[in-house]
Amino acid sequence: YITNGGLFMYAALVNEKLVTAYEEYSLLPNYQQLNTKIYRCPRCKKRVILIVSQSKAPFFKHYNVSQGKGEKEEHALSKQMLCTALVGAGYQAKMEVNLAYRQLRADILMQNSISFEIQCSPISDIEFDHRHNLYEKIGIKDVWVVGRRHFLHQQLRESQKKFLRFNQQWGWYYLEINPYEADISLKYNILLSPISRKLKYQIKKFSLDDLGIKQFFNFEPYLKRYSLPDVQFQRQYLHKKIQQKTGYGLQVAQLLYENRKSVEDIPVEILTQYYLPKQSCPLVQYLQKISEDIETK
């Protein structure tokens, strides 16, 4: 049993059998089964997790789950692994830090200036806005990293919009964490197709270790220009939504009826214009503007 300053260990128990971190790491198929086994500290018998680092030997670290606070395993494990990776990359980082006179508790506070919020469970817009506004008030940037429940797929749900962020290098982006595959996914250059509203984005995965974190903070991608949407497909999709009487289909159908227009009358430039994820739908805006212009005449 080897320790490193009492913080890290290079051996642990699995079903009362002593195993080394290196042996366990060598059995992993590309991180796919990282920490699916229950490892325990040989001294105190409390749970530990296997931490994989590209610049140093793999090691075990105590799995610090706050008792009685209802934290799910995904949330607690994500927090522990991200914090360990940040520290390994040379950043000052601590978990569960009280801020704003205990009105906030940061999942991970880095360099006393950035809070990483790991969101695996649902959160209301009211609660999110409350926490975000408090962070702004005390001058700390809140970075939201979501668990599997909130992963982006083909469509952007209303409940996901709050987690989107923007910067010049990445455009609109979204962060996802998967502690079971030991990675963080950055989905960036996010745009929406004009009528189908399907998501277009690029993706880059970073390993959840010290080198992966360094690569994440220094990532400077090339932002692709997406090919123009297929006009015929966009018209067919809209016909389908109108026939299905979805909320979106009914809204567009009503606006088309009011303006005495059909799907075929929609200009090509509206059908080929990608739009930003927090922007209103260009088609709805176009039809509403026609209605407003008619009313003012």
Side-chain angles (χ1 to χ4, degrees):
Y1 173 60
I2 309 170
T3 64
N4 179 10
L7 294 175
F8 308 139
M9 60 190 74
Y10 298 98
L13 294 172
V14 178
N15 297 325
E16 300 301 322
K17 178 185 175 183
L18 195 67
V19 297
T20 68
Y22 182 80
E23 288 171 343
E24 292 298 289
Y25 166 68
S26 66
L27 296 173
L28 290 177
N30 298 320
Y31 296 146
Q32 294 298 311
Q33 296 176 7
L34 184 65
N35 289 302
T36 54
K37 294 181 183 178
I38 303 297
Y39 300 108
R40 299 203 176 275
C41 172
R43 287 184 177 174
C44 66
K45 302 300 187 290
K46 290 183 178 179
R47 189 170 177 187
V48 296
I49 57 173
L50 177 61
I51 303 295
V52 175
S53 167
Q54 295 180 37
S55 63
K56 57 176 74 76
F59 58 89
F60 294 104
K61 192 173 188 298
H62 277 88
Y63 176 59
N64 296 324
V65 180
S66 302
Q67 297 298 321
K69 296 185 179 177
E71 287 187 288
K72 294 181 180 179
E73 180 177 286
E74 181 189 13
H75 179 258
L77 188 55
S78 296
K79 220 171 28 174
Q80 179 77 60
M81 294 179 72
L82 178 55
C83 188
T84 301
L86 288 166
V87 172
Y91 296 100
Q92 181 187 22
K94 293 181 180 179
M95 294 194 307
E96 299 292 338
V97 180
N98 287 314
L99 299 167
Y101 302 102
R102 293 184 175 271
Q103 295 179 80
L104 281 172
R105 176 178 286 175
D107 279 342
I108 302 170
L109 184 64
M110 187 187 90
Q111 306 292 108
N112 292 319
S113 60
I114 296 176
S115 169
F116 284 95
E117 292 294 315
I118 312 297
Q119 194 64 41
C120 298
S121 59
I123 180 172
S124 69
D125 291 345
I126 293 173
E127 176 62 18
F128 178 89
D129 290 341
H130 173 69
R131 287 162 66 177
H132 175 66
N133 292 335
L134 277 175
Y135 276 121
E136 279 196 333
K137 198 174 285 187
I138 62 176
I140 289 178
K141 181 177 181 180
D142 52 322
V143 177
W144 294 75
V145 188
V146 302
R148 290 174 295 181
R149 172 190 287 271
H150 302 290
F151 280 8
L152 283 182
H153 298 293
Q154 288 192 328
Q155 299 281 347
L156 178 65
R157 303 194 305 268
E158 282 296 320
S159 62
Q160 294 171 315
K161 288 184 178 180
K162 63 177 76 75
F163 305 120
L164 288 161
R165 289 292 182 269
F166 177 85
N167 68 35
Q168 291 296 329
Q169 286 189 328
W170 300 344
W172 284 97
Y173 68 91
Y174 197 86
L175 293 172
E176 302 171 349
I177 189 166
N178 189 334
Y180 305 106
E181 295 187 8
D183 63 36
I184 289 181
S185 293
L186 167 65
K187 292 177 177 175
Y188 62 99
N189 194 20
I190 299 173
L191 293 175
L192 292 173
S193 296
I195 306 302
S196 67
R197 300 179 294 177
K198 286 190 175 180
L199 285 166
K200 299 284 286 186
Y201 54 78
Q202 295 171 254
I203 183 169
K204 174 71 174 177
K205 292 194 175 188
F206 302 89
S207 56
L208 203 49
D209 58 25
D210 49 344
L211 291 188
I213 290 296
K214 289 177 182 177
Q215 291 166 359
F216 169 76
F217 282 120
N218 293 295
F219 183 54
E220 297 182 7
Y222 167 74
L223 301 184
K224 292 195 305 189
R225 291 179 65 88
Y226 301 124
S227 58
L228 293 178
D230 181 85
V231 172
Q232 190 59 29
F233 172 80
Q234 300 298 315
R235 293 194 199 277
Q236 289 173 353
Y237 181 89
L238 190 53
H239 274 298
K240 181 179 177 182
K241 291 301 169 184
I242 291 172
Q243 290 167 359
Q244 291 175 339
K245 297 183 178 181
T246 64
Y248 173 58
L250 289 173
Q251 181 187 20
V252 172
Q254 179 65 28
L255 288 167
L256 287 170
Y257 174 77
E258 290 173 0
N259 294 312
R260 297 181 181 179
K261 291 188 177 294
S262 70
V263 171
E264 281 64 36
D265 294 324
I266 299 170
V268 170
E269 56 267 27
I270 297 295
L271 299 171
T272 55
Q273 174 188 340
Y274 286 107
Y275 66 104
L276 302 175
K278 290 197 176 184
Q279 177 186 348
S280 298
C281 175
L283 173 60
V284 173
Q285 283 185 311
Y286 165 75
L287 293 172
Q288 287 175 339
K289 187 175 186 307
I290 294 177
S291 297
E292 292 168 4
D293 291 343
I294 292 172
E295 289 177 6
T296 56
K297 288 182 180 179

